[in-house]
Amino acid sequence: MAPPAAIRWFSVVSALMLCHLITTSTAIYCDEDDCYDLLGVTQSANSSEIKKAYYKLSLKHHPDKNPDPESKKLFVKVANAYEILKDEATREQYDYAIAHPEEVFYNTARYYQAYYGHKTDPRAVLVGLLLILSAFQYLNQWTRYNQAVDMVKKTPAYKNRLRALELERSGGTTNKKKSNKQMNKKVGEDLGNELELQIKGAEQPSMWDLLVVRFILLPYTIGKLLLWCGCWFWRYKVKQAPYSWDDASYLTQRSLNAPLDAWRNLDDSRKEDLIHKRLWEKSNLENYLAEMRKESKRRR
């Protein structure tokens, strides 16, 4: 059995720890004071009693009524205590912090959520997030595009196109003093700007592709999609009309699971051949894929 001195020491330490926890959990509300004590009410007081006590103290300690600096400090504390206890949600959180002082982190999180979480408009957060992501998206696209352009400009095909454009601009004559391997840098840049570089996978950035722009145009996009689906259903399901060229092209591209950019860069003759095969029909697609597999094996 433990000696009485050890039991008393343990009791004192436990009491001090409990007081520290209570102070830590509630200090974020009214500092070292008790919000109820500041207003001179009990924890069971109703909202009417709290309001009456606050008005009584505010008349006594308001800076306009009492110029004493200490009275001004007390008025600030009383006003803060009233702001906490007049709201049912924050009062419930304060009462919980008093009853559960050991949950320091939980009580602190609830306090900051109540006082700062609701003050931040979710719409502003969403807009800010979209703007930041769009900025990174735009910078990333420009970086990829510039890197791709620099690589293309080092290829022989680009240099040949540049020489051809120089001949076209000069009327078929070239400066003999100028080396074939070297071109005036300024002239090269001017001619290079006239060449339209279409680089697959690294297209020039467009504002219309940014997340924030797409989000703003989302209602329009959804409406346009619904209208398109309605027209498609009426034209091809109800009226049984033949597919137009664009719609047949869309069905073919979707049946082949081809990326849109790859489909756009396909030769027109190749597109026409694929569309005529009517690959959106399952049997035609299976036959086409079987032929492609046979062709692949034959090439091996």
Side-chain angles (χ1 to χ4, degrees), residues 28 108-121:
I28 55 178
T108 305
R110 293 185 74 191
Y111 170 81
Y112 285 110
Q113 182 182 11
Y115 276 86
Y116 299 102
H118 69 281
K119 296 179 181 178
T120 304
D121 191 344

Side-chain angles (χ1 to χ4, degrees), residues 33-187:
D33 301 307
D34 184 284
C35 295
Y36 291 104
D37 291 342
L38 285 171
L39 293 176
V41 297
T42 62
Q43 193 171 350
S44 60
N46 57 37
S47 58
S48 178
E49 291 173 341
I50 291 174
K51 186 175 182 181
K52 186 185 295 185
Y54 167 69
Y55 282 133
K56 183 179 178 180
L57 291 171
S58 64
L59 289 173
K60 181 179 179 181
H61 298 287
H62 195 280
D64 294 339
K65 303 288 184 180
N66 193 336
D68 185 11
E70 294 299 324
S71 183
K72 181 179 179 181
K73 294 179 181 179
L74 182 58
F75 173 76
V76 172
K77 292 182 178 181
V78 168
N80 180 57
Y82 177 67
E83 287 295 322
I84 292 170
L85 298 181
K86 75 174 183 178
D87 184 75
E88 291 295 331
T90 54
R91 182 181 178 181
E92 185 272 330
Q93 292 178 6
Y94 180 67
D95 291 343
Y96 186 90
I98 294 175
H100 302 84
E102 71 281 0
E103 301 180 13
V104 178
F105 294 108
Y106 177 69
N107 293 326
T108 305
R110 293 185 74 191
Y111 170 81
Y112 285 110
Q113 182 182 11
Y115 276 86
Y116 299 102
H118 69 281
K119 296 179 181 178
T120 304
D121 191 344
R123 294 171 295 183
V125 175
L126 178 61
V127 172
L129 181 62
L130 287 174
L131 288 174
I132 293 173
L133 291 176
S134 298
F136 279 110
Q137 178 188 7
Y138 193 73
L139 290 174
N140 178 59
Q141 289 177 351
W142 263 116
T143 302
R144 289 179 56 196
Y145 178 74
N146 290 330
Q147 289 176 348
V149 168
D150 291 338
M151 292 179 63
V152 169
K153 286 183 176 181
K154 296 176 182 179
T155 60
Y158 174 81
K159 294 178 181 179
N160 291 335
R161 289 181 61 189
L162 208 59
R163 291 194 189 97
L165 185 60
E166 184 189 19
L167 289 173
E168 182 182 345
R169 291 280 300 276
S170 61
T173 59
T174 57
N175 190 350
K176 294 182 180 180
K177 295 181 180 180
K178 195 182 300 181
S179 173
N180 291 332
K181 295 184 179 179
Q182 295 180 347
M183 185 183 296
N184 184 279
K185 187 175 181 180
K186 186 176 183 308
V187 175

